[in-house]
Amino acid sequence: MTAAADPVAPPDKPARRIPIVATLVVLAAVVGMVMLGLWQVRRMDEKAALLAHYAAAPGQPSVAWPVVPLRDGALLYRRSGGMCVEPTTWSARAGRNLAGESGWRHIVLCRTGAEGPGMAVDMGWSRDPKNPVGWTGGRVTGTIDADRDHVLLLVSDAAAPGLVPSLRPSPADIPNNHFAYAVQWFAFAAIALVIYAIALRRRG
């Protein structure tokens, strides 16, 4: 009588090996994205405090136009005034009027005295970028704003002849998007982990 043959045992499956280098790269990227998200959370709180400071600025007492140029934004949205002894250079920049219409803001650089940096004043808005003529200077009052280079300028309450007042600057126009940016970075980190986990599963 023939003995039954022993069944052949199936070969052992090789153990899955996690690629060390690729895993370290992915983890480093995830940590970096999480850190960026946490930084955005900190910036969100700082921006909220800054916006609260700006919101209170219009109700603060009027300040004299600074003799020394400032770029830290401490005086933004404060009421101020100064003497334009002599208008020197005009320029036109895109902007809006009080009605929200698009057009051109007319900025003039003023000499304020024998010394000092002078003063940049938004003297009003028009649909035509051609600079106005006929304004010879004088006392100007308005709200402190900053141009695209973060240089302070005064948005005048009263417009020069032939212009209408420009839209006054408001801290409400400054967004606080840092929470959305933080959520995006955390989402990117989670997505990277999910994609890498799927890649490892398919590799196995």
Side-chain angles (χ1 to χ4, degrees), residues 37-188:
L38 294 175
W39 179 79
Q40 290 290 350
V41 171
R42 291 194 297 270
R43 286 289 297 141
M44 176 183 65
D45 295 335
E46 295 171 359
K47 189 68 167 289
L50 181 64
L51 291 177
H53 170 76
Y54 286 160
Q60 298 295 320
S62 179
V63 296
W65 187 259
V67 176
V68 178
L70 300 176
R71 291 177 179 266
D72 60 358
L75 295 180
L76 286 179
Y77 310 107
R78 292 285 296 270
R79 298 287 300 169
S80 184
M83 177 62 69
C84 180
V85 175
E86 180 186 7
T88 57
T89 305
W90 289 88
S91 62
R93 302 174 189 173
R96 297 179 181 272
N97 61 12
L98 293 178
E101 298 174 308
S102 297
W104 299 92
R105 304 167 67 190
H106 296 273
I107 313 296
V108 62
L109 297 179
C110 290
R111 190 169 59 83
T112 56
E115 299 178 356
M119 176 172 59
V121 186
D122 179 342
M123 286 304 303
W125 174 97
S126 73
R127 295 187 182 279
D128 189 348
K130 184 179 179 181
N131 293 318
V133 294
W135 189 70
T136 58
R139 178 75 182 175
V140 288
T141 59
T143 304
I144 296 178
D145 195 6
D147 66 8
R148 55 180 174 263
D149 297 319
H150 306 288
V151 177
L152 295 185
L153 62 87
L154 185 68
V155 180
S156 178
D157 295 329
L163 304 178
V164 298
S166 295
L167 181 67
R168 294 184 180 88
S170 170
D173 298 329
I174 303 177
N176 189 353
N177 297 329
H178 294 288
F179 178 75
Y181 294 150
V183 171
Q184 287 179 356
W185 283 117
F186 293 146
F188 291 157

